[in-house]
Amino acid sequence: MKMEEKVVEELKNILGNLGEVWIQREKRVYAKVPKNLVLPLLAFLKDKGFHQLTAITCVDWLKKGKFELIYNLFSLNYEGVHVFIKTELERDKETMPSAIEIFPMAFDYEREIHEMFGIVFEGHPRLDNFILEDWDGPPPMRKDFDTAKYVEEKYGVKDYAEELWRRREQPYREEKDE
Amino acid sequence: MKILLLLGYWILVIIMGLLYMGIARKVTARIQNRYGPPFYQAFLDVLKLFSKRETASHGVMHSLGPVIAFAGISTTLLFLPLGKGAPVLHFQGDLFVFLYLIVIGPLGMALGAGESNNPNATIGIARALSLMLGYEIILFMATLPVFVHFKTASIYEVILNQGAFPNWAGIKFPLSMLGGLIALQGLLGEKPFDQPIAPHEIASGPTVEYGGKYLGLLQLWHAVAIIVETGLFIDVFFGPQNILWFFLGTFIVFMLSVVINAVMPRFRIEQAIRFYWGVPLLLVVLGILQYYLWR
Amino acid sequence: MYNISLALLSILLGALVFFGTLSHKALRIASLVVGILSILAFTFLYLKPGSLEIVKLGVFAMSFNLTEVSQFFLWIIIASFILSLFSLLHEERSAFFYLYYFLAFGFAALTVMANDLLTLYMNFELMSLSVFAILLLGVRGNTKEIAFKYMIYSLVGAYFYLGGLFLKFRYSGNIGFGPIVGASTLTQIGIFVLLALPFLVKIATMPFHNWAPDAYYSASDSFTVFFSAGLSKVGVYGLAILILKTFTELFKNNIYLPEVVAWIGGITALLGGIYAFMSDDAKKLLAYSSISQLGYVLVGLGLFTPYSFSAGIFHSVAHFVFEGVLFVTVAAVIHRVGTSDLRKMGGLIKKMPISFIGLLFGIIAGSGIPPTVGFPGKWLLYEAIIMKGDLFLVSLIFFASITAFLYSYKLVHSIFLGKLHKEHRNVKEAPLGYIIATILFLVPLIVFGVFPGALFERIYTFTKPVFNHDAFFTLNSLKTQIGFAKMTVAGITLISMFVISFILYLVSGKSYRAKQEDNYTAGEWVDEDFASHYAQEFYGFMRKAFGKLLDLSAEKFWNGVLSIFKAVAEMTRRVYTGDVRDYALYLIFFLIVLVFLVGGRL
Amino acid sequence: MGLFKISQGRSLWMVHFCTGCGAVEMPPTMTSRFDMERFGVAPMATPRQADVLLITGYLTVKTLKRVIMVYEQMPTPKYVIGFGSCTVNGGIYWDSYNVIKNLELYIPVDLYIFGCMPRPESIIDAFLKLRKMIEEGKANKWKDYIERYDWYKQNQAKLFDVNKWRVQK
């Protein structure tokens, strides 16, 4: 029985019917759990041997009005199996408890997600701006952030897309040196 | 009349110094397998620096630093006989006057650079002064046997006593001459002893806040300093009989140190200081013992 | 009764100032000014050189005589005392401080005027006592312990001196300054060492120096001006008298003694310089630099050739001038800034330009650059040592003189250059008294630098009878068999070159005044309290280069000596056990030894 | 004055602000194959000593602040050469929310070198063109920065708080 099935087995009898666990592909185990179960699950997996929280990523489902947070865990003694814990948040309404006590490296991941998506992590000591100095616009990675309009307004340069599309048909003119 | 002569020699040495710097850059380039700038590049650099319109200054002492430096090194130049023929001010002072005058230049620059609130500048000066603890002693101990051998402390007499090839002091005291050559590398500030002006570590050290005309004055100071420092070495160890031999000798010695500079890495500062208390000190002490035994 | 009345005058003035301070501040300043004027009046009108005066004190008599040597040193002591009084105007001190201050001056003057070893001893002791009292009223640090350390060194030195005195009396029958006759060279050297010890302590030669940095650090700032510039000259006077009058034959025909004394001076100069540039406190740095410069004086005196001796005396005057101006300017800075720690100051050139100029000329003279007073002494010393022929000594001294550049730049940079801290924004220029003292010090610094002949003439008067060498100096140039140096030419060329390059500077381009924070910091924006003043570990990397040499300290040496005494005392204590049986045992043991020694011939 | 112009042209000391990918083109230009030192161009450690500022790549708002500070610390007359298309119109980052699109708005630029990282030959060609412009007295964009100082500061104020970041002139 492969290692990922063993992991799925363990996760299943821990979660029971609270969350679904499946194998996406070889060595990739996914678990979808409600928001309040994420931290206990992280602690559990950490004791099992998943010492490394490689990343926290966030997906913005604009149409569903949901943010999806994915915690990537990795361990050396599980023959390279990655465990991904997914959870969903209401856009701009829900906040997420911070995972700093369990995984200290979550400090910067959460700061970046806050800067790029605007999710507030309770218990995080420093949520001020991180990479974008003097940033005054809305969090830029959100789907409803209109980059072209922002660029035009801030850097005073109009959108080149139509210009390039319009030029597409005309043959290439030989520009004479003035 | 004498004043015009002195000013003439002063201008001549500045021109020769700038020429040496230009040729030095060409030689370093050739060693690195590239063409390098034209030999008159140093003149263009200094002219450009003086043509700068507006440069930053951090206070009166900061602006006067390069002026004192250039004045100090030019005074020292006048006390150095340029070979037998050149009647400069050498009748008025001997080796110790020269050794204590040569310090006014770096002191002026150190005071000026210290005024700018830039830590790079002060670290550069602290390194330059500590390095002085290394090479200055060796240079002094290297020249000692020659002066005592000729029973004089004036550089001009030392030149007079050294005739043609066989009885050069460098031949009589080869060990001290070698020690003096190593010390000269530190005095000129060429790699491996250019910690004070290390561009990568402390952004060119004391000159970090100097631009425009200040840097122009410092370039002139560097040009005259090259001739003065190598000149001392040549006068003491090879007694040039006329001014052509003098400039030829300084040129060869300077090119030797430039070649070393092109290929050598840079020591750490405490290594550089301790280096001078190793082999060079031994060489120089043997030179003195040789004098005692052979008196 | 003329010259001695200087001491009576100083006691009177001390009392005057004592009551003046007790009553009211204005009276204190008034009484100090009266003190300055009356001492000046006394020296110019009333001093009569060359008159022998005997003062009967019951059993023995104290004899005073103002010879050329003592007059020479008296001038230095009076000058340094008056200049330190100028800076004292601005210091609030307890009334007793002023009393002891004037007493110290009076006894120092008397010591210099003494005509025989006993009077020299008595006044020397009284002077040390009053300095001890002043140190007790110190300003910073553990003043009691530091004062006691100073007193112990002076007392031990004085008791050795007494031993030497008795030996001299035993051999030559008198205690005047005359030569010792009939004693073997070894005993003569012994007597010289015993007699010279207190003076070596006073000029802080190496093994006996570690009272100096603490004493200078803790003493009140204006007193350190008099302490280092004036009182150390008493030590130089003592050595000069011993070498000039009593032990001339010994120094002439013995070859090893001059070498040893000169090497001790050289090592003091070198180690003093190294510790100076490694210390982080302005007063301690200056204390070590003073020790180092006095090391040169000892080399000059010890070498006992005509040139080196006059070089030593000249350099002691130079030491008085540039150490004086350094201590006055540092006292002014401490008066304004409140701390003497180099790491906390910086950028004061913008606020105290005159003190900066004073300190700048002080360090230029300290490192011996030609047109200033520091140069002729050093130049002559080098010439003398080379003529004598020991090249290693001259290299050691040259090495020591390089350290002068290091600690001078550290002092000037940490206090005046670099970044002006926020709290020193409203620091004003030094008060008037300090400025007058600085300017008065600068006058001899330039005058004796450009015209050393004026001073050498006075020195020539009392060194000629001993060495009968011909005059090696004219007003502005020095000439020895092997070298020649003209002071004015160096000065003139330097000034003219400065003018030429200044014109070149004016002709080209303009320059704007950049703000203090507007520095190249690789583009990073830097605000007010960005620590950009490099004064913390100024020569930190030197610790790696010098390493072992730095932890070699006299403190450890004396602690070692202390532990030896303790061990010996411990052993003897155990002998007296208080038990009769042990004493009986000792008696029998003693008898056996006696029989063995006598060998049965009883 | 002509001699000054020639000397300014033939001895260009540069400080290159290696912001983006252009810095990798500098070593080949300096070393033996292309050797820009033949034309008197030498790299300097501090802006105080430099005449030419090379912006070698895209500029985010963060690095623009540092570039402006370095530019203002250089003594006049000073010149700026923009490397690569990122300085012209933002290049491949044309629609990025973080990269400035047109360097001209913030500091006066004398010369642009096209190409998404130009080759050393075009860099040296740029230096020669700059030399010709200096000798003809046409390279005085730095005067423009002094005359229209407020316009430049206004543009910069759009991106960051200029007063806090200003080098007091």
Side-chain angles (χ1 to χ4, degrees), chain C residues 459-479:
Chain C
I459 301 172
Y460 188 60
T461 51
F462 57 81
T463 48
K464 174 128 177 61
V466 174
F467 300 102
N468 50 49
H469 59 295
D470 45 11
F472 53 87
F473 53 87
T474 63
L475 189 59
N476 59 15
S477 78
L478 297 168
K479 183 165 181 0

Side-chain angles (χ1 to χ4, degrees), chain C residues 199-252:
Chain C
F199 303 118
L200 290 178
V201 163
K202 197 55 85 184
I203 58 172
T205 19
M206 222 44 198
F208 321 108
H209 74 288
N210 41 13
W211 61 270
D214 305 336
Y216 285 112
Y217 171 71
S218 90
S220 100
D221 304 325
S222 47
F223 172 67
T224 36
V225 174
F226 180 50
F227 197 21
S228 107
L231 292 182
S232 60
K233 296 304 161 300
V234 172
V236 174
Y237 168 76
L239 281 174
I241 285 293
L242 286 179
I243 295 172
L244 258 188
K245 292 212 167 78
T246 333
F247 294 95
T248 24
E249 295 320 315
L250 180 70
F251 271 79
K252 252 198 195 113

Side-chain angles (χ1 to χ4, degrees), chain B residues 6-7 10 50-61 63-64 67-68 70-72 74-75 78-79 89 91-94 96-97 99-101 103-104 107 110-120 122-123 125-127 129-130 132-134 136-137 140-141 144-145 147-148 151-154 157 203 208-209 213-214 217 220 268-270 273-274 277 285 288-289 291-292 295, chain C residues 274 277 296 349-350 356 360 363-364 367-371 375 378-379 382-383 386 389-392 394-395 397-403 405-406 409-410 412-413 416-420 480-487 489-490 493-495 497-502 504-506 508-521 530-534 538-539 541-542 544-546:
Chain B
L6 295 187
L7 287 183
W10 181 50
F50 277 112
S51 72
K52 279 278 174 201
R53 274 223 194 9
E54 211 188 22
T55 43
S57 149
H58 287 273
V60 173
M61 199 61 223
S63 329
L64 285 185
V67 175
I68 298 171
F70 187 48
S74 324
T75 331
L78 297 182
F79 276 85
L89 279 181
F91 281 111
Q92 314 308 335
D94 60 2
F96 300 107
V97 175
L99 280 179
Y100 274 96
L101 270 176
V103 172
I104 298 177
L107 182 73
L111 289 171
E115 166 107 36
S116 76
N117 179 9
N118 198 322
N120 288 330
T122 331
I123 295 172
I125 294 154
R127 287 181 172 188
L129 288 174
S130 325
M132 250 172 82
L133 270 182
E136 198 85 18
I137 320 299
F140 178 71
M141 285 169 86
L144 261 183
F147 281 101
V148 176
K151 291 197 180 29
T152 166
S154 125
E157 254 98 40
V208 70
E209 284 301 319
K213 58 183 180 189
Y214 306 120
L217 277 170
L220 291 181
R268 275 215 323 269
I269 178 72
E270 57 271 2
I273 298 168
R274 251 194 260 119
W277 297 338
V285 164
I288 293 180
L289 291 181
Y291 162 72
Y292 273 130
R295 200 187 312 228
Chain C
I274 290 172
F277 72 70
Y296 294 115
I349 185 172
K350 304 175 182 69
F356 169 72
L360 182 66
I363 62 162
I364 288 178
S367 18
I369 292 174
F375 177 70
K378 272 195 181 159
W379 182 83
Y382 286 121
E383 300 275 328
I386 286 192
D390 36 17
L391 303 181
F392 291 115
V394 77
S395 323
I397 305 257
F398 192 76
F399 193 11
S401 78
I402 301 288
T403 58
F405 301 126
L406 272 85
Y409 185 72
K410 177 171 186 171
V412 140
H413 172 73
F416 285 104
L417 303 176
K419 176 172 131 78
L420 184 65
T480 59
Q481 282 84 353
I482 56 168
F484 176 80
K486 198 168 177 56
M487 301 305 152
V489 173
T493 29
L494 196 63
I495 291 158
M497 277 302 160
F498 182 80
V499 165
I500 295 172
S501 49
F502 192 67
L504 193 61
Y505 162 82
L506 287 179
S508 46
K510 298 193 303 298
S511 68
Y512 68 91
R513 184 77 165 73
K515 277 269 182 310
Q516 190 172 292
E517 280 77 35
D518 178 8
N519 267 305
Y520 168 60
T521 47
F530 171 67
S532 69
H533 186 44
Y534 176 61
F538 198 78
Y539 288 115
F541 47 80
M542 292 300 268
K544 295 204 199 70
F546 277 98

Side-chain angles (χ1 to χ4, degrees), chain C residues 252-269:
Chain C
K252 252 198 195 113
N253 31 41
N254 185 317
I255 6 158
Y256 295 110
L257 187 60
E259 284 301 315
V260 165
V261 173
W263 272 87
I264 291 174
I267 290 163
T268 318

